[in-house]
């Protein structure tokens, strides 16, 4: 089971035995390396498709092998395994993990409702990898990011571009992996026939793959690692056979000299062919993105001891075979399967298809995860998130995204019908994500690790030059398929930025139009209306102040509940929030008003609780803060900074073994098993049809009379029932706004709002206990 407290297994890797680490390394083969391990299916075929020819001098094949070897060595091995993996966000990895780190260290945040109290979270701490003092350049860079909104927006857009390209990769990787695996049929039938079989077979496999997503990866997860291990064993064994049987001296091609002779001979054609060579590192980003499921050590062991040598042997074996076979009947004969001994082709074909499905599964699940992170950080419309595993919180399923990915995947498969253009498209998506990671890492080195600026410049210059070379080779193939990830990224980027902009403007309107505390105080303890039994939970996005919608309730309703809780459920830029730090509780106005504010904080990888346990935790958190005497009056004035200081951290009921407990018992069961250390606060003897609510509190310290009366009233209100007040806003641009703003707010954001899911808390609220009110916002 994953550990939500400290990133998963990252903080415990040193304490665990080698057996546990090796088990994690074995499991990572199926989850992390499925995509990377299937790249030999299409690298040589895509490289030799159009730009270069395989000649009898073997200079081309040796040059390609040299490029493949050094690309695999420098990017996945050196960059990711030895450097990028160390930039985890409390055990989590990926583009948004880097962005989250930068947001915390430079006080740059895309979330409008951030509070200074969030910086006290355990996982918010700034654990630098180097010295504790920030260099002069780092401090200047930090202050520049904090002062200039343009730089903040650029950083956000950069992270969103990387995210959008990951989503585009989620469309293209299943298509090219499955299609390349199925292309093995071309050696078993005539060319005129296999082209009519490949596309339908690939589409059927893809439809089955996406149709099975709702079962969750944990249902078939036990098959993943054995499939990938079997596949890696096959390609490495076939590679060794080809090396010793056809060309034992092929190892000489690993020398960088062959890259020079390759480019010297092929010139522009060789440069353009780099877009095919680039495909050998597809899936490398998964090592960092899936870090939350494993540990750094396990991922390093799996790659260095199994994946890396297997891939090198596979590419060397293909090169050895091709170096002795120059009579290629047609272009498709230079693919992977031609180097497989004829008797093994059918078994290898089956294993390849299974490995392609596993690799596709990993990128689809990764796409779900990154969309969940974007949604939690206010950068993607709300979608339905189904947690398919009760043990591993990272395994989720998003129905809307799943079917959109399937349709787009089928569209590119049917539209392109060959691995060459699919490879061009996939290559550009992969290298763009890597470039974004390189740029963000250079900032992390200075701002988070407090290292010298020269180290950051060296990092971005060395790896950025390599990736920029591949990026240019991929971009030149714009009309041959590379336009697809650009188009997909552009569409998703518009959607994400419009949603973020609309959400930000809506929150700014709420802040500007919140009710003055003086107005509330003028109403008196009864708020000028009849206070009836029960708890009223008013959902709001505000973390301070009273929402404008509350004035509509007070002025239009003849009665309100005796206890009111302003509930704000928000995300914070950390992967996980510990249960003991989940709730922030405070009074609004004097105690006799019985108005409370409760802020519930979740990390971008946390599972949102939306059941009865959450309701009990909410009431217990208020009760515990009353009992402990820590609740301060929140909202004495309109200074939001002071409001935040007076909020008290209260954990869930499960984190207080000696704290207050709440029991819902049948009315007939009046006897309670207690101890000498506990005493019971009961509601008055009133005839109730079903339930009786009791608070059980510690004997000491003593509770003052005011707190006891407050607990008594809270308990009575809980027994009477809970009502949920939900507000629905309709955002419009102000008259006189620019045409662009009107298009974005009135059409773009409104369309996304109407077609996206409601807040997660609204899905579990009983309809009989819900009151919904709408408001028009002019932003």
């Amino acid at each position: 089971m994953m550990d939500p407290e400290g990133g998963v297994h990252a903080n415990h890797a040193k304490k665990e035995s080698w057996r546990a680490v090796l088990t994690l390394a074995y499991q990572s083969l199926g989850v992390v390396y499925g995509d990377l391990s299937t790249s030999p299916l299409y690298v040589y075929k895509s490289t030799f498709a159009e730009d270069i020819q395989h000649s009898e001098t073997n200079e081309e094949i040796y040059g390609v092998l040299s490029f493949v070897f050094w690309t695999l060595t420098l990017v996945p091995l050196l960059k990711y395994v030895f450097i990028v993996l160390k930039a985890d966000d409390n055990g989590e990895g990926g583009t948004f993990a880097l962005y989250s780190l930068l947001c915390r260290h430079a006080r740059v945040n895309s979330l409008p409702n951030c509070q200074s109290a969030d910086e006290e979270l355990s996982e918010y701490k700034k654990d630098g990898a180097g010295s504790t003092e920030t260099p002069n350049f780092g401090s200047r860079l930090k202050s520049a990011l904090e002062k200039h909104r343009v730089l903040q927006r650029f950083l956000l857009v950069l992270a969103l571009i990387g995210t959008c390209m990951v989503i585009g990769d989620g469309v293209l990787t299943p298509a090219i992996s499955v299609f390349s695996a199925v292309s093995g049929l071309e050696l078993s039938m005539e060319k005129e026939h296999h082209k009519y079989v490949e596309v339908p077979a690939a589409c059927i496999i893809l439809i089955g793959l996406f149709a099975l997503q709702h079962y969750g990866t944990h249902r078939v997860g036990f098959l993943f690692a054995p499939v990938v291990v079997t596949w890696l064993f096959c390609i490495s064994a076939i590679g060794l056979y080809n090396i010793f049987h056809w060309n034992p001296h092929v190892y000489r091609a690993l020398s960088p000299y062959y890259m020079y002779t390759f480019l010297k001979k092929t010139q522009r054609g060789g440069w353009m062919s780099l877009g095919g060579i680039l495909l050998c590192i597809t899936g490398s980003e998964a090592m960092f993105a899936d870090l939350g499921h494993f540990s750094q050590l396990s991922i390093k062991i799996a790659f260095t001891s199994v994946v890396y040598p297997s891939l090198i042997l596979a590419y060397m074996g293909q090169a050895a075979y091709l170096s002795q076979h120059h009579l290629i009947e047609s272009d498709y004969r230079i693919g992977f399967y031609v180097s497989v001994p004829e008797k093994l082709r059918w078994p290898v074909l089956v294993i390849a298809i299974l490995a392609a499905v596993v690799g596709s599964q990993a990128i689809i699940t990764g796409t779900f995860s990154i969309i969940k992170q974007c949604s939690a950080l206010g950068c993607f419309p709300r979608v339905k998130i189904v947690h398919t595993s009760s043990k591993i919180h990272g395994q989720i399923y998003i129905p809307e995204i799943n079917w959109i990915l399937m349709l787009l995947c089928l569209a590119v498969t049917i539209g392109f019908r060959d691995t060459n253009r699919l490879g061009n498209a996939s290559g550009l998506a992969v290298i763009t994500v890597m470039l974004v990671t390189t740029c963000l890492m250079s900032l992390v080195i200075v701002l988070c690790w407090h290292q010298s600026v020269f180290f950051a410049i060296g990092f971005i210059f060395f790896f950025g030059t390599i990736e920029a070379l591949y990026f240019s080779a991929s971009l030149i193939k714009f009309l041959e398929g590379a336009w697809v990830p650009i188009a997909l990224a552009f569409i998703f980027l518009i959607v994400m930025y419009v949603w973020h902009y609309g959400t930000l403007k809506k929150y700014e309107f709420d802040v500007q139009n919140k009710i003055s505390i003086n107005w509330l105080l003028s109403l008196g303890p009864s708020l000028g209306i009849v206070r009836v039994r029960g708890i009223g939970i008013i959902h709001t996005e505000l973390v301070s102040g009273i929402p404008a919608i509350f004035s509509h309730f007070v002025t239009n309703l003849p009665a309100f509940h005796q206890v009111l809780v302003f509930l704000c459920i928000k995300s914070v830029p950390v992967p996980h929030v510990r249960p003991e730090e989940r709730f922030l509780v405070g009074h609004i106005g004097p105690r006799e008003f019985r108005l409370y504010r409760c802020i519930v904080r979740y990390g971008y990888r946390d599972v949102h609780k939306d059941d009865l346990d959450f309701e009990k935790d909410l009431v217990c958190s208020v009760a515990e803060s009353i009992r402990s005497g820590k609740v301060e009056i929140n909202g004495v004035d309109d200074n939001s900074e002071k409001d935040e200081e007076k909020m008290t951290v209260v954990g869930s009921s499960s984190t207080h073994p000696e704290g207050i407990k709440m029991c819902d018992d049948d009315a007939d069961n009046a006897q309670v098993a207690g101890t000498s250390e506990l005493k019971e606060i009961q509601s008055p003897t009133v005839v109730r049809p079903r339930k009786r609510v009791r608070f059980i509190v510690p004997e000491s310290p003593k509770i003052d009379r005011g707190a006891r009366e407050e607990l008594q009233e809270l308990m009575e209100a809980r027994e009477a029932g809970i009502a949920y007040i939900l507000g629905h806003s309709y955002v419009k641009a102000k008259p006189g706004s620019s045409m662009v703003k009107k298009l974005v707010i009135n059409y773009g954001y409104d369309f996304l709002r109407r077609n996206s899911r409601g807040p997660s808390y609204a899905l579990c609220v009983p309809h009989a206990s819900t009151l919904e009110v709408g408001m028009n916002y002019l932003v």
Side-chain angles (χ1 to χ4, degrees):
M1 181 174 179
M2 299 181 68
D3 180 13
E5 307 300 334
V8 179
H9 304 276
N11 296 335
H12 302 134
K14 293 182 179 179
K15 299 180 182 179
E16 293 180 347
S17 63
W18 276 104
R19 181 178 179 181
V21 174
L22 293 177
T23 301
L24 280 178
Y26 172 74
Q27 293 173 347
S28 70
L29 291 173
V31 176
V32 178
Y33 298 109
D35 185 16
L36 185 62
S37 64
T38 55
S39 57
L41 287 170
Y42 43 79
V43 168
Y44 283 136
K45 186 175 181 179
S46 299
T47 305
F48 287 95
E50 300 170 352
D51 307 304
I52 58 176
Q53 298 295 324
H54 178 41
S55 65
E56 294 188 6
T57 61
N58 287 326
E59 289 180 322
E60 294 83 2
I61 192 65
Y62 288 164
V64 170
L65 175 59
S66 184
F67 264 104
V68 167
F69 172 77
W70 286 105
T71 303
L72 278 171
T73 302
L74 294 177
V75 178
L77 186 62
L78 181 59
K79 175 187 171 182
Y80 280 95
V81 170
F82 291 107
I83 301 177
V84 176
L85 282 182
K86 297 180 180 179
D88 65 299
D89 182 11
N90 292 283
E92 299 292 338
T95 304
F96 255 86
L98 295 176
Y99 179 69
S100 176
L101 280 174
L102 293 172
C103 284
R104 300 206 301 272
H105 283 77
R107 292 181 180 270
V108 177
N109 202 335
S110 63
L111 294 169
N113 56 359
C114 56
Q115 299 171 275
S116 59
D118 298 337
E119 298 183 14
E120 301 301 322
L121 292 169
S122 300
E123 295 198 4
Y124 204 99
K125 305 304 180 185
K126 304 175 178 62
D127 297 325
S131 62
T132 56
E133 298 182 359
T134 306
N136 292 332
F137 179 81
S139 60
R140 290 197 299 269
L141 178 61
K142 177 185 174 185
S143 61
L145 280 173
E146 293 174 351
K147 291 180 181 178
H148 300 287
R149 294 291 298 273
V150 175
L151 295 178
Q152 297 177 19
R153 291 174 182 171
F154 175 77
L155 189 64
L156 175 63
V157 170
L158 186 65
L160 292 182
I161 289 174
T163 302
C164 292
M165 284 297 181
V166 171
I167 299 174
D169 196 23
V171 173
L172 297 166
T173 293
I176 189 172
S177 297
V178 173
F179 194 87
S180 298
V182 173
S183 66
L185 296 171
E186 64 193 9
L187 297 180
S188 303
M189 57 183 66
E190 296 181 4
K191 185 177 181 180
E192 292 75 14
H193 296 157
H194 80 77
K195 63 182 180 180
Y196 298 107
V197 177
E198 284 181 347
V199 175
C203 290
I204 291 172
I205 294 174
L206 288 171
I207 291 173
L209 172 64
F210 284 99
L212 292 174
Q213 291 300 310
H214 70 280
Y215 289 109
T217 55
H218 70 288
R219 297 287 179 87
V220 291
F222 66 95
L223 291 176
F224 284 10
V227 167
V228 175
V229 169
T230 304
W231 169 250
L232 290 172
F233 172 78
C234 285
I235 61 176
S236 57
I238 294 171
L240 280 173
Y241 169 80
N242 287 328
I243 291 172
F244 287 106
H245 188 266
W246 297 110
N247 190 352
H249 302 290
V250 72
Y251 67 89
R252 297 174 181 172
L254 302 181
S255 169
Y257 171 77
Y258 285 90
M259 290 192 291
Y260 167 75
T261 57
F262 170 78
L263 292 176
K264 182 179 180 181
K265 179 180 180 180
T266 57
Q267 297 182 356
R268 187 175 186 273
W271 167 64
M272 294 179 66
S273 70
L274 294 179
I277 298 174
L278 163 67
L279 298 177
C280 71
I281 53 175
T282 57
S284 299
E285 187 75 19
M287 285 191 288
F288 184 46
D290 291 333
L291 182 59
H293 298 283
F294 306 97
S295 64
Q296 293 184 24
L297 184 58
S298 63
I299 290 179
K300 291 178 180 179
I301 290 175
F303 182 78
T304 55
S305 63
V306 180
V307 179
Y308 179 75
S310 297
L311 290 176
I312 298 301
L313 289 175
Y315 287 115
M316 289 177 64
Q318 289 186 60
Y321 177 88
L322 294 173
S323 66
Q324 303 298 321
H325 296 79
H326 304 96
L327 298 177
I328 307 299
E329 298 177 6
S330 58
D331 291 339
Y332 72 91
R333 289 281 182 175
I334 205 171
F336 166 78
Y337 289 101
V338 71
S339 64
V340 179
E342 191 170 352
K343 294 181 180 180
L344 299 177
R345 282 175 185 168
W346 278 107
V348 171
L349 173 64
V350 174
I351 298 172
I353 293 176
L354 292 175
V357 169
V358 170
S360 302
Q361 174 67 52
I363 191 64
I364 293 170
T365 304
T367 304
F368 292 159
S369 297
I370 200 166
I371 286 177
K372 178 181 182 293
Q373 294 179 25
C374 293
S375 181
L377 296 178
C379 295
F380 198 88
R382 289 185 292 264
V383 290
K384 180 180 180 180
I385 297 175
V386 180
H387 294 270
T388 59
S389 174
S390 59
K391 295 182 178 181
I392 303 179
H393 69 271
Q395 293 185 358
I396 61 175
Y397 168 67
I398 305 177
E400 300 95 331
I401 301 300
N402 182 65
W403 303 123
I404 291 174
L405 289 179
M406 187 190 76
L407 293 176
L408 292 174
C409 192
L410 292 175
V412 296
T413 302
I414 297 172
F416 287 156
R417 295 174 176 265
D418 71 277
T419 56
N420 299 333
R421 286 183 290 179
L422 284 173
N424 295 335
S426 179
L428 184 62
V430 168
I431 199 62
T432 304
V433 176
M434 292 183 175
L435 273 172
V436 170
T437 299
T438 300
C439 295
L440 294 178
M441 268 300 303
S442 63
L443 295 176
V444 168
I445 289 172
V446 175
L447 295 177
C448 306
W449 291 358
H450 311 301
Q451 296 292 330
S452 169
V453 65
F454 297 105
F455 180 33
I457 293 175
F459 178 87
I460 196 172
F461 178 79
F462 181 75
F463 293 107
T465 302
I466 297 172
E467 291 161 358
L469 179 65
Y470 282 115
F471 179 80
S472 63
S474 297
L475 194 61
I476 202 68
K477 301 290 186 68
F478 181 83
L479 297 178
E480 286 79 34
W483 61 270
V484 171
I486 295 178
L488 290 175
F490 182 72
I491 294 172
F492 279 106
L493 184 62
I494 290 178
V495 169
M496 295 167 78
Y497 200 82
V498 165
W499 180 264
H500 175 69
Y501 179 78
T503 303
L504 187 63
K505 289 299 179 183
K506 177 179 174 296
Y507 189 82
E508 290 176 355
F509 178 88
D510 287 336
V511 172
Q512 294 169 2
N513 292 273
K514 63 184 180 181
I515 298 173
S516 169
I517 189 66
N518 295 325
W519 175 83
L520 182 69
L521 292 174
S522 67
L523 299 176
S526 65
L527 302 180
I529 55 178
V530 178
R531 301 292 290 271
V532 299
R533 290 171 57 81
I535 298 177
I537 296 180
I538 303 175
H539 289 277
T540 175
E541 302 293 331
L542 290 176
V543 295
S544 63
I546 303 171
I549 198 172
F550 181 67
S551 64
H552 291 262
F553 289 120
V554 174
T555 56
N556 291 284
L557 292 178
F560 225 109
H561 303 86
Q562 66 187 115
V563 175
L564 292 179
V565 179
F566 290 90
L567 176 64
C568 174
I569 299 177
K570 72 169 191 175
S571 296
V572 289
V574 296
H576 306 284
V577 176
R578 295 183 176 182
E580 58 267 25
E581 300 173 324
R582 180 81 65 203
F583 294 91
L584 278 174
V585 183
H587 270 105
I588 297 179
R591 287 178 176 269
E592 58 267 22
F593 279 39
R594 302 298 191 251
L595 266 62
Y596 306 91
R597 181 186 313 285
C598 185
I599 299 174
V600 188
R601 301 177 292 184
Y602 288 100
Y604 57 79
R605 293 294 301 273
D606 277 331
V607 179
H608 287 222
K609 295 181 68 175
D610 55 2
D611 51 13
L612 294 178
D613 288 337
F614 172 76
E615 185 179 287
K616 182 177 290 187
D617 284 344
L618 175 64
V619 177
C620 281
S621 66
V622 176
E624 176 65 26
S625 59
I626 295 172
R627 180 199 69 83
S628 60
K630 294 180 180 178
V631 172
E632 300 291 342
I633 297 176
N634 175 274
V636 174
D637 52 37
D638 291 332
N639 190 332
S640 60
E641 290 298 323
K642 291 183 179 179
D643 286 352
E644 291 179 16
E645 293 173 1
K646 294 176 180 178
M647 299 293 288
T648 304
V649 177
V650 181
S652 60
S653 58
S654 61
T655 63
H656 294 285
E658 299 180 356
I660 198 164
K661 304 293 181 183
M662 186 179 74
C663 298
D664 289 335
D665 291 335
D666 294 334
D668 296 335
N669 184 14
Q671 298 299 323
V672 181
T675 66
S676 59
E677 297 179 355
L678 299 179
K679 66 179 180 179
E680 182 182 329
I681 294 181
Q682 301 185 24
S683 58
T685 305
V686 181
V687 177
R688 295 293 172 205
R690 288 189 300 269
K691 294 289 184 181
R692 184 168 64 88
V693 177
R694 296 176 297 107
F695 284 149
I696 302 177
V697 300
E699 181 71 28
S700 60
K702 299 295 185 181
I703 302 177
D704 61 48
R705 182 177 179 181
R708 179 174 289 276
E709 291 177 354
E710 201 170 351
L711 278 174
Q712 182 98 13
E713 189 164 356
L714 177 65
M715 183 181 53
E716 290 181 42
R718 172 63 183 87
E719 184 175 341
I722 295 180
Y724 300 85
I725 296 92
L726 308 179
H728 293 280
S729 58
Y730 302 91
V731 182
K732 297 291 182 183
K734 292 179 180 178
S737 301
S738 65
M739 183 62 65
V740 175
K741 185 175 181 180
K742 289 182 178 179
L743 288 174
V744 170
I745 297 295
N746 296 352
Y747 297 98
Y749 181 74
D750 185 62
F751 174 81
L752 294 175
R753 182 193 58 80
R754 286 186 287 106
N755 290 276
S756 64
R757 298 272 176 170
S760 58
Y761 55 75
L763 301 177
C764 64
V765 173
H767 293 291
S769 306
T770 305
L771 177 63
E772 301 186 29
V773 176
M775 287 187 64
N776 288 319
Y777 289 4
L778 295 178
V779 298

